[in-house]
Amino acid sequence: MGLATFKGGVHPYEGKELSEHKPVQILMPKGDLVYPMSQHIGAPAIPLVKKGDKVLAGQKIGEASGFISANVICSVSGTVKAVEPRRVANGAMVNSIVVENDGEYTAVEGLGADRDPAKLSKQEIRDIVKEAGIVGLGGAGFPTHVKLAPKDESKIEYILVNGAECEPYLTSDYRLMMEEPEKLVGGLKVILQLFDNAKGVIGIENNKPEAIKKLQELVKDESRIEVCPLQTKYPQGGERSLIYAVTGRKVNSSMLPADAGCIVDNVDTVISVYNAVCKTTPLMRRVVTVTGDAIANPQNFQVKIGTNMQELIEAAGGFKTEPEKLIAGGPMMGMALFGTDIPVTKTNSALLCMSKDEVAANAETPCIRCGKCVSVCPSHIVPVKMMKAALKGDCKAFEKVGGMECMECGSCTFICPAKRPLTQAFKEMRKTVAANRRKKA
């Protein structure tokens, strides 16, 4: 029987050997911590503290301002220095709470206490996840409590744990599967409590055989949980790709995974659910891979959310060569950084430091209509036609050729021999179309 996979995709250089065998190190912050009020999809959180206030580790300092929003939790104890706009990874200035760390890490009462999930109702579990400020830690940042409350929970048949980690260079999820597999399974069992008709499937690419073996052994006696080895291919970890690979079900842009009977959560998200429900610990930390050929000692760090990115670089030995490009995330879907004076947020899974900017080094040439972009597109649309519409700024034509089905995975740009910035153009067009739809609504 072949490995589970999808049609399309690419095989970029993996780069995982730089950090995959580096156990997670706990890195304590040195300077001030910055907590942006928007670390998630949806409305920004509302600050609950002001300059001069004393705060504790585990204290809610930002409150979700709508249904699609998420709380922000302080990861240290100290004093609020400011509530002001600060720059984040995508270059935007976001209203943020700046906390001067007192180094004592005094916590709110009850933080870390053991709790038996079997004694909790479904609503209590959902409320705990909401209060903990948990969002999708794979990068999307969708509030997890919303995902765990579909319209009809009886129709959910699969809880899929995304352990593919298909993005090149990233190894944080792999290290978590190797070092905290019990928490991963424990978190999945908590989620399964919410859905009586569902089974849990942990999908792992076959370039991680040790993780597959470890988790298969751990769940061998769990009747509702199984491990599904996946073919190593990018973007195997894309939500739609994973759903199709494991279940054979298709999801388009007008659907949610729940419409196909599925809920998909990242490895670290599921572990965070375990921490919140079973260990009374909200989302205050993030595991980040610091890697690339420009960094002296690639590592995986567990850091407090709000820690300055520059501190991660220093902890990894600094730069061995001056990088031409810094990326928050991986090379396929990450964001190029303006600088390193930005905080680690919930959605930052990696800091990639590259000695060469390969995109800038390759000049764009005219399309030769080779069709490679079509053959690798996991959404089975035609990037050539989409680019034609994008160059004209023709939103109607872009929609007509299926542009809104684009996953923005970057496979077409990666494979293009003409080095055309396809994905960047599609991102802008999708934003424009979405904005036009909101105006009409």
Side-chain angles (χ1 to χ4, degrees):
M1 182 178 175
L3 292 163
T5 191
F6 63 99
K7 186 178 179 181
V10 293
H11 294 86
Y13 166 64
E14 292 183 13
K16 295 181 184 289
E17 73 281 356
L18 296 174
S19 58
E20 65 182 340
H21 301 301
K22 303 289 185 68
V24 176
Q25 293 186 26
I26 295 176
L27 179 64
M28 302 305 284
K30 296 177 181 177
D32 296 341
L33 289 97
V34 177
Y35 302 92
M37 292 294 97
S38 187
Q39 302 183 41
H40 51 267
I41 288 175
I46 299 170
L48 297 176
V49 293
K50 62 185 184 300
K51 183 178 179 180
D53 286 355
K54 299 291 184 182
V55 291
L56 302 173
Q59 178 180 333
K60 181 167 67 174
I61 57 175
E63 185 162 38
S65 62
F67 178 62
I68 309 294
S69 187
N71 294 335
V72 177
I73 310 298
C74 192
S75 56
V76 299
S77 58
T79 305
V80 177
K81 288 181 68 174
V83 179
E84 62 187 20
R86 287 293 184 98
R87 197 171 300 282
V88 295
N90 65 3
M93 298 295 285
V94 175
N95 193 34
S96 305
I97 295 169
V98 183
V99 174
E100 182 178 10
N101 181 12
D102 62 15
E104 296 180 6
Y105 302 99
T106 308
V108 295
E109 186 177 352
L111 186 75
D114 288 339
R115 181 160 46 194
D116 183 359
K119 296 180 179 179
L120 299 172
S121 68
K122 292 181 179 182
Q123 190 56 47
E124 284 173 329
I125 290 173
R126 292 186 172 107
D127 288 344
I128 289 168
V129 171
K130 180 179 180 179
E131 278 302 301
I134 300 171
V135 303
L137 299 179
F142 191 81
T144 302
H145 69 275
V146 179
K147 190 179 285 190
L148 297 182
K151 291 180 181 179
D152 188 350
E153 66 181 49
S154 67
K155 292 185 177 179
I156 300 301
E157 298 175 70
Y158 293 94
I159 307 299
L160 305 182
V161 180
N162 187 351
E165 199 168 43
C166 61
E167 183 81 36
Y169 291 94
L170 274 59
T171 57
S172 55
D173 281 349
Y174 172 69
R175 291 313 314 173
L176 284 170
M177 287 188 285
M178 292 299 293
E179 297 176 40
E180 299 185 355
E182 294 84 4
K183 290 184 179 181
L184 175 60
V185 174
L188 178 53
K189 290 167 75 172
V190 168
I191 295 172
L192 286 170
Q193 277 186 234
L194 303 174
F195 304 101
D196 299 331
N197 302 324
K199 74 172 183 177
V201 181
I202 306 171
I204 309 173
E205 282 192 329
N206 68 328
N207 63 351
K208 306 172 183 66
E210 292 302 316
I212 292 173
K213 181 180 177 182
K214 187 179 283 276
L215 281 158
Q216 282 179 333
E217 178 64 26
L218 204 57
V219 304
K220 64 182 181 181
D221 297 322
E222 298 287 347
S223 61
R224 296 180 67 191
I225 301 176
E226 65 181 61
V227 174
C228 178
L230 306 168
Q231 183 179 326
T232 299
K233 182 168 61 169
Y234 179 87
Q236 187 69 263
E239 198 168 58
R240 295 184 210 170
S241 303
L242 184 67
I243 289 171
Y244 181 78
V246 175
T247 71
R249 300 176 183 183
K250 296 181 180 180
V251 177
N252 61 41
S253 63
S254 65
M255 300 169 63
L256 293 172
D259 296 327
C262 301
I263 286 176
V264 183
D265 279 314
N266 163 266
V267 164
D268 203 1
T269 307
V270 176
I271 290 174
S272 295
V273 168
Y274 172 86
N275 289 336
V277 175
C278 303
K279 296 295 179 181
T280 321
T281 302
L283 181 56
M284 303 187 296
R285 66 97 183 103
R286 161 95 252 194
V287 178
V288 181
T289 302
V290 182
T291 187
D293 64 351
I295 203 78
N297 187 19
Q299 295 285 339
N300 296 289
F301 294 114
Q302 179 179 302
V303 302
K304 304 285 188 184
I305 288 173
T307 301
N308 192 283
M309 283 277 195
Q310 183 60 40
E311 294 182 28
L312 276 67
I313 294 171
E314 293 169 4
F319 299 130
K320 62 181 181 182
T321 58
E322 193 62 29
E324 285 188 3
K325 195 162 195 174
L326 298 173
I327 300 173
M332 299 297 287
M333 294 188 74
M335 294 175 288
L337 294 177
F338 293 83
T340 57
D341 185 19
I342 56 172
V344 173
T345 62
K346 298 175 185 180
T347 55
N348 294 144
S349 58
L351 175 59
L352 181 57
C353 310
M354 306 299 291
S355 61
K356 299 293 182 184
D357 185 345
E358 293 184 18
V359 175
N362 293 296
E364 179 186 352
T365 58
C367 173
I368 61 173
R369 302 187 71 81
C370 64
K372 287 185 177 180
C373 58
V374 180
S375 67
V376 302
C377 177
S379 297
H380 313 306
I381 44 184
V382 186
V384 176
K385 292 183 178 180
M386 292 160 58
M387 191 61 169
K388 185 178 179 179
L391 290 172
K392 293 180 180 179
D394 189 337
C395 290
K396 287 186 179 179
F398 185 78
E399 288 187 83
K400 189 175 180 179
V401 297
M404 296 308 285
E405 296 302 318
C406 175
M407 293 164 52
E408 300 180 9
C409 68
S411 294
C412 55
T413 304
F414 171 81
I415 206 70
C416 179
K419 306 301 179 185
R420 304 181 84 202
L422 301 168
T423 309
Q424 293 90 325
F426 302 158
K427 282 183 179 180
E428 293 306 312
M429 285 299 289
R430 282 165 49 81
K431 286 179 186 176
T432 302
V433 171
N436 291 341
R437 288 178 177 178
R438 286 193 294 270
K439 287 178 184 178
K440 289 180 182 179

